[in-house]
Amino acid sequence: MAEMAIKKKRPKNLDLPTIRLPLPGILSIIHRISGAALFLLLPFLLWLFESSLTSAQTFASFKGVVDNALVKIILLGLIWFYMHHFCAGIRYLLLDLHKGIDLKSAVLSSKIVFGVSIALTLIVGVKVLW
Amino acid sequence: MVNRILVGAHYGLKDWIIQRATAIIMAVYTVIFLVVIGSVAPDSLESWRGVFAGGFMRFATFLFFISLFYHAWIGIRDIWMDYIKPDGIRLLLMIATATVLVGYAGWAIRILWRT
Protein backbone atom coordinates (compact mmCIF):
# COMPACT_ATOMS: atom_id res chain seq x y z
CA MET A 1 0.00 0.00 0.00
CA ALA A 2 2.70 2.42 0.95
CA GLU A 3 4.57 1.57 -2.27
CA MET A 4 1.51 2.49 -4.34
CA ALA A 5 1.07 5.74 -2.48
CA ILE A 6 4.65 6.73 -3.35
CA LYS A 7 4.38 5.79 -7.03
CA LYS A 8 1.23 7.85 -7.70
CA LYS A 9 1.31 9.97 -10.87
CA ARG A 10 2.24 13.60 -10.45
CA PRO A 11 2.15 16.29 -13.14
CA LYS A 12 5.58 16.84 -14.68
CA ASN A 13 6.97 19.67 -16.75
CA LEU A 14 10.55 18.90 -17.67
CA ASP A 15 10.56 20.53 -21.11
CA LEU A 16 13.78 22.38 -20.36
CA PRO A 17 13.70 25.02 -23.18
CA THR A 18 10.27 26.23 -22.03
CA ILE A 19 11.26 26.56 -18.38
CA ARG A 20 12.38 30.05 -17.45
CA LEU A 21 14.51 29.59 -14.37
CA PRO A 22 13.92 32.32 -11.75
CA LEU A 23 16.95 34.04 -10.17
CA PRO A 24 17.05 31.80 -7.05
CA GLY A 25 17.01 28.82 -9.45
CA ILE A 26 19.95 30.22 -11.43
CA LEU A 27 21.79 30.79 -8.14
CA SER A 28 21.04 27.20 -7.15
CA ILE A 29 22.32 25.58 -10.35
CA ILE A 30 25.48 27.74 -10.30
CA HIS A 31 25.96 26.63 -6.67
CA ARG A 32 25.97 23.02 -7.89
CA ILE A 33 28.08 23.64 -11.01
CA SER A 34 30.64 25.67 -9.04
CA GLY A 35 30.91 22.93 -6.41
CA ALA A 36 31.40 20.26 -9.08
CA ALA A 37 33.99 22.36 -10.95
CA LEU A 38 35.95 23.11 -7.79
CA PHE A 39 35.94 19.38 -6.97
CA LEU A 40 37.15 18.46 -10.48
CA LEU A 41 39.98 21.00 -10.33
CA LEU A 42 41.09 20.00 -6.80
CA PRO A 43 44.17 18.10 -8.08
CA PHE A 44 45.28 21.18 -10.07
CA LEU A 45 44.72 23.46 -7.06
CA LEU A 46 46.50 21.09 -4.65
CA TRP A 47 49.40 20.83 -7.09
CA LEU A 48 49.58 24.63 -7.31
CA PHE A 49 49.48 24.87 -3.50
CA GLU A 50 52.21 22.24 -3.16
CA SER A 51 54.54 23.83 -5.70
CA SER A 52 54.00 27.27 -4.14
CA LEU A 53 55.32 25.97 -0.79
CA THR A 54 57.85 23.21 -1.46
CA SER A 55 61.11 24.76 -2.66
CA ALA A 56 62.62 27.68 -4.58
CA GLN A 57 62.49 25.67 -7.82
CA THR A 58 58.86 24.60 -7.44
CA PHE A 59 57.97 28.15 -6.34
CA ALA A 60 59.53 29.47 -9.56
CA SER A 61 57.56 27.01 -11.69
CA PHE A 62 54.43 27.91 -9.70
CA LYS A 63 55.02 31.58 -10.58
CA GLY A 64 55.54 30.62 -14.20
CA VAL A 65 52.23 28.74 -14.34
CA VAL A 66 50.28 31.47 -12.53
CA ASP A 67 51.78 34.19 -14.75
CA ASN A 68 50.21 32.57 -17.81
CA ALA A 69 47.25 34.68 -18.98
CA LEU A 70 45.01 31.66 -19.63
CA VAL A 71 45.74 30.26 -16.15
CA LYS A 72 44.96 33.67 -14.64
CA ILE A 73 41.55 33.67 -16.33
CA ILE A 74 40.85 30.09 -15.16
CA LEU A 75 41.87 31.02 -11.61
CA LEU A 76 39.70 34.16 -11.73
CA GLY A 77 36.78 31.94 -12.79
CA LEU A 78 37.54 29.53 -9.92
CA ILE A 79 37.69 32.44 -7.46
CA TRP A 80 34.23 33.50 -8.69
CA PHE A 81 32.99 29.90 -8.32
CA TYR A 82 34.40 29.81 -4.77
CA MET A 83 32.89 33.18 -3.84
CA HIS A 84 29.52 32.28 -5.36
CA HIS A 85 29.50 28.93 -3.55
CA PHE A 86 30.50 30.75 -0.32
CA CYS A 87 27.84 33.49 -0.56
CA ALA A 88 25.07 31.20 -1.84
CA GLY A 89 25.98 28.75 0.94
CA ILE A 90 25.55 31.42 3.60
CA ARG A 91 22.16 32.24 2.01
CA TYR A 92 21.21 28.56 2.28
CA LEU A 93 22.25 28.49 5.94
CA LEU A 94 19.92 31.44 6.56
CA LEU A 95 17.13 29.68 4.64
CA ASP A 96 17.72 26.63 6.91
CA LEU A 97 16.96 28.97 9.83
CA HIS A 98 13.78 30.09 8.01
CA LYS A 99 15.21 33.54 7.36
CA GLY A 100 14.06 35.11 4.09
CA ILE A 101 11.93 32.26 2.77
CA ASP A 102 9.16 34.42 1.24
CA LEU A 103 9.46 35.03 -2.51
CA LYS A 104 10.39 38.71 -2.34
CA SER A 105 13.26 38.23 0.13
CA ALA A 106 14.43 35.10 -1.70
CA VAL A 107 14.83 37.09 -4.94
CA LEU A 108 16.44 40.00 -3.10
CA SER A 109 18.92 37.74 -1.28
CA SER A 110 19.79 36.09 -4.63
CA LYS A 111 20.61 39.50 -6.08
CA ILE A 112 22.77 40.24 -3.03
CA VAL A 113 24.61 36.92 -3.47
CA PHE A 114 25.40 37.70 -7.12
CA GLY A 115 26.48 41.26 -6.33
CA VAL A 116 28.65 40.41 -3.32
CA SER A 117 30.28 37.35 -4.90
CA ILE A 118 31.21 39.26 -8.07
CA ALA A 119 32.55 42.20 -6.01
CA LEU A 120 34.61 39.82 -3.82
CA THR A 121 35.92 38.05 -6.93
CA LEU A 122 37.13 41.33 -8.42
CA ILE A 123 38.72 42.53 -5.16
CA VAL A 124 40.45 39.23 -4.30
CA GLY A 125 41.19 38.31 -7.92
CA VAL A 126 42.85 41.61 -8.76
CA LYS A 127 44.82 41.64 -5.51
CA VAL A 128 46.04 38.04 -5.78
CA LEU A 129 46.44 37.57 -9.54
CA TRP A 130 47.62 40.98 -10.76
CA MET B 1 -1.72 10.02 6.49
CA VAL B 2 2.01 9.84 5.96
CA ASN B 3 2.89 8.27 2.62
CA ARG B 4 6.41 7.24 3.51
CA ILE B 5 8.03 3.94 4.29
CA LEU B 6 9.68 4.64 7.62
CA VAL B 7 11.94 1.62 7.79
CA GLY B 8 15.55 0.94 6.94
CA ALA B 9 18.24 3.56 6.54
CA HIS B 10 18.36 6.95 8.17
CA TYR B 11 17.23 9.94 6.15
CA GLY B 12 20.62 11.60 5.87
CA LEU B 13 20.34 13.93 8.87
CA LYS B 14 23.95 13.25 9.86
CA ASP B 15 25.24 14.18 6.39
CA TRP B 16 22.97 17.24 6.31
CA ILE B 17 24.48 18.44 9.59
CA ILE B 18 28.08 17.65 8.59
CA GLN B 19 27.62 19.45 5.26
CA ARG B 20 26.62 22.59 7.16
CA ALA B 21 29.20 22.23 9.94
CA THR B 22 32.03 21.84 7.42
CA ALA B 23 30.63 24.80 5.44
CA ILE B 24 30.80 27.00 8.55
CA ILE B 25 34.38 25.88 9.32
CA MET B 26 35.43 26.69 5.73
CA ALA B 27 33.61 30.03 5.76
CA VAL B 28 35.35 31.10 8.99
CA TYR B 29 38.71 29.91 7.65
CA THR B 30 38.16 31.83 4.40
CA VAL B 31 37.68 35.07 6.34
CA ILE B 32 40.75 34.37 8.53
CA PHE B 33 42.84 33.48 5.46
CA LEU B 34 41.84 36.63 3.56
CA VAL B 35 42.61 38.81 6.61
CA VAL B 36 46.02 37.13 7.08
CA ILE B 37 46.86 37.42 3.37
CA GLY B 38 45.66 41.02 3.35
CA SER B 39 47.87 41.99 6.30
CA VAL B 40 50.98 39.90 5.52
CA ALA B 41 50.81 40.45 1.72
CA PRO B 42 53.22 37.56 1.01
CA ASP B 43 55.35 38.27 -2.06
CA SER B 44 58.13 35.69 -1.71
CA LEU B 45 58.53 32.00 -0.95
CA GLU B 46 59.70 32.83 2.59
CA SER B 47 56.77 35.09 3.49
CA TRP B 48 54.27 32.70 1.85
CA ARG B 49 55.70 29.74 3.80
CA GLY B 50 55.61 31.93 6.89
CA VAL B 51 51.83 32.15 6.61
CA PHE B 52 51.53 28.39 7.22
CA ALA B 53 54.53 27.97 9.53
CA GLY B 54 52.68 29.04 12.68
CA GLY B 55 50.89 26.36 14.67
CA PHE B 56 47.51 28.08 14.45
CA MET B 57 47.43 28.65 10.68
CA ARG B 58 48.81 25.19 9.96
CA PHE B 59 46.15 23.54 12.09
CA ALA B 60 43.39 25.85 10.76
CA THR B 61 44.44 25.07 7.17
CA PHE B 62 44.48 21.35 7.98
CA LEU B 63 40.96 21.67 9.43
CA PHE B 64 39.89 23.59 6.31
CA PHE B 65 41.17 20.82 4.01
CA ILE B 66 39.51 18.03 5.98
CA SER B 67 36.23 20.00 6.02
CA LEU B 68 36.59 20.66 2.28
CA PHE B 69 37.06 16.99 1.44
CA TYR B 70 34.16 15.80 3.63
CA HIS B 71 31.95 18.61 2.26
CA ALA B 72 32.92 17.65 -1.30
CA TRP B 73 32.10 14.01 -0.57
CA ILE B 74 28.53 14.88 0.49
CA GLY B 75 27.99 17.32 -2.39
CA ILE B 76 29.41 15.10 -5.14
CA ARG B 77 27.58 12.06 -3.77
CA ASP B 78 24.34 14.12 -3.99
CA ILE B 79 25.13 14.85 -7.65
CA TRP B 80 25.66 11.14 -8.42
CA MET B 81 22.41 10.28 -6.60
CA ASP B 82 20.50 12.93 -8.56
CA TYR B 83 21.73 12.14 -12.07
CA ILE B 84 23.17 8.63 -12.19
CA LYS B 85 20.40 6.05 -12.03
CA PRO B 86 22.07 2.65 -12.71
CA ASP B 87 23.17 1.30 -9.31
CA GLY B 88 26.45 -0.18 -10.54
CA ILE B 89 27.76 2.98 -12.20
CA ARG B 90 26.57 5.10 -9.28
CA LEU B 91 28.38 2.88 -6.79
CA LEU B 92 31.52 2.94 -8.92
CA LEU B 93 31.47 6.76 -9.10
CA MET B 94 30.90 7.03 -5.34
CA ILE B 95 33.84 4.72 -4.62
CA ALA B 96 36.04 6.67 -7.04
CA THR B 97 35.01 9.96 -5.41
CA ALA B 98 35.70 8.72 -1.89
CA THR B 99 39.02 7.24 -2.98
CA VAL B 100 40.39 10.42 -4.57
CA LEU B 101 39.18 12.51 -1.61
CA VAL B 102 40.99 10.29 0.90
CA GLY B 103 44.06 10.55 -1.32
CA TYR B 104 43.75 14.36 -1.43
CA ALA B 105 43.58 14.42 2.39
CA GLY B 106 46.89 12.56 2.58
CA TRP B 107 48.37 14.88 -0.04
CA ALA B 108 47.20 18.00 1.83
CA ILE B 109 48.69 16.74 5.11
CA ARG B 110 52.01 16.03 3.38
CA ILE B 111 52.06 19.55 1.88
CA LEU B 112 51.29 21.23 5.21
CA TRP B 113 53.73 19.28 7.37
CA ARG B 114 56.62 19.29 4.94
CA THR B 115 56.66 23.08 4.85
Side-chain angles (χ1 to χ4, degrees), chain A residues 72-126:
Chain A
K72 273 189 200 293
I73 288 167
I74 291 170
L75 288 176
L76 189 68
L78 286 179
I79 292 173
W80 178 59
F81 273 172
Y82 189 91
M83 292 304 176
H84 180 90
H85 207 88
F86 174 85
C87 294
I90 289 170
R91 178 177 174 275
Y92 284 134
L93 288 174
L94 292 173
L95 291 178
D96 284 345
L97 300 171
H98 296 270
K99 305 255 184 261
I101 44 177
D102 59 293
L103 184 59
K104 247 181 93 179
S105 356
V107 172
L108 177 67
S109 61
S110 302
K111 287 178 183 162
I112 294 171
V113 165
F114 277 101
V116 171
S117 58
I118 290 169
L120 280 173
T121 303
L122 293 176
I123 296 167
V124 173
V126 167

Side-chain angles (χ1 to χ4, degrees), chain A residues 1-3 5-6 8 29 31-33 35-59 62-63 82-83 85-86 89-90 92-93 96 120 124 127-128, chain B residues 1 3-5 16 20 23-24 26-31 34 37-38 41 43-45 48-49 52 61 64-65 68-69 71-72 75-76 78-80 82-83 97 100-101 104-105 107-108 110-112 114-115:
Chain A
M1 267 226 340
E3 289 270 352
I6 281 174
K8 73 183 172 199
I29 193 63
H31 191 70
R32 171 159 284 194
I33 292 169
L38 288 165
F39 167 74
L40 286 176
L41 284 165
L42 268 180
F44 172 60
L45 295 173
L46 279 167
W47 175 75
L48 275 184
F49 186 58
E50 179 174 47
S51 42
S52 77
L53 281 171
T54 305
S55 67
Q57 288 99 313
T58 63
F59 185 74
F62 160 78
K63 281 229 141 180
Y82 189 91
M83 292 304 176
H85 207 88
F86 174 85
I90 289 170
Y92 284 134
L93 288 174
D96 284 345
L120 280 173
V124 173
K127 194 161 163 40
V128 173
Chain B
M1 185 184 154
N3 291 326
R4 282 204 293 178
I5 308 165
W16 187 90
R20 278 142 186 86
I24 291 167
M26 286 187 288
V28 171
Y29 177 83
T30 303
V31 174
L34 289 178
I37 293 300
D43 54 355
S44 64
L45 176 63
W48 176 237
R49 288 174 78 131
F52 303 98
T61 308
F64 167 82
F65 275 122
L68 172 67
F69 300 139
H71 189 88
I76 299 299
D78 282 350
I79 290 179
W80 300 143
D82 280 350
Y83 305 126
T97 306
V100 293
L101 285 171
Y104 293 162
W107 190 5
R110 195 184 65 172
I111 295 170
L112 283 172
R114 201 173 43 192
T115 306

Side-chain angles (χ1 to χ4, degrees), chain B residues 17-113:
Chain B
I17 291 171
I18 291 177
Q19 190 175 41
R20 278 142 186 86
T22 51
I24 291 167
I25 292 170
M26 286 187 288
V28 171
Y29 177 83
T30 303
V31 174
I32 294 172
F33 179 76
L34 289 178
V35 169
V36 168
I37 293 300
S39 55
V40 176
D43 54 355
S44 64
L45 176 63
E46 286 67 35
S47 54
W48 176 237
R49 288 174 78 131
V51 169
F52 303 98
F56 173 76
M57 269 312 269
R58 179 171 293 167
F59 179 70
T61 308
F62 165 71
L63 206 60
F64 167 82
F65 275 122
I66 298 305
S67 301
L68 172 67
F69 300 139
Y70 207 141
H71 189 88
W73 159 246
I74 297 168
I76 299 299
R77 190 207 55 182
D78 282 350
I79 290 179
W80 300 143
M81 291 199 299
D82 280 350
Y83 305 126
I84 308 295
K85 296 306 173 189
D87 289 337
I89 301 173
R90 186 194 279 187
L91 184 65
L92 211 66
L93 287 168
M94 283 182 180
I95 292 170
T97 306
T99 306
V100 293
L101 285 171
V102 170
Y104 293 162
W107 190 5
I109 290 167
R110 195 184 65 172
I111 295 170
L112 283 172
W113 267 274

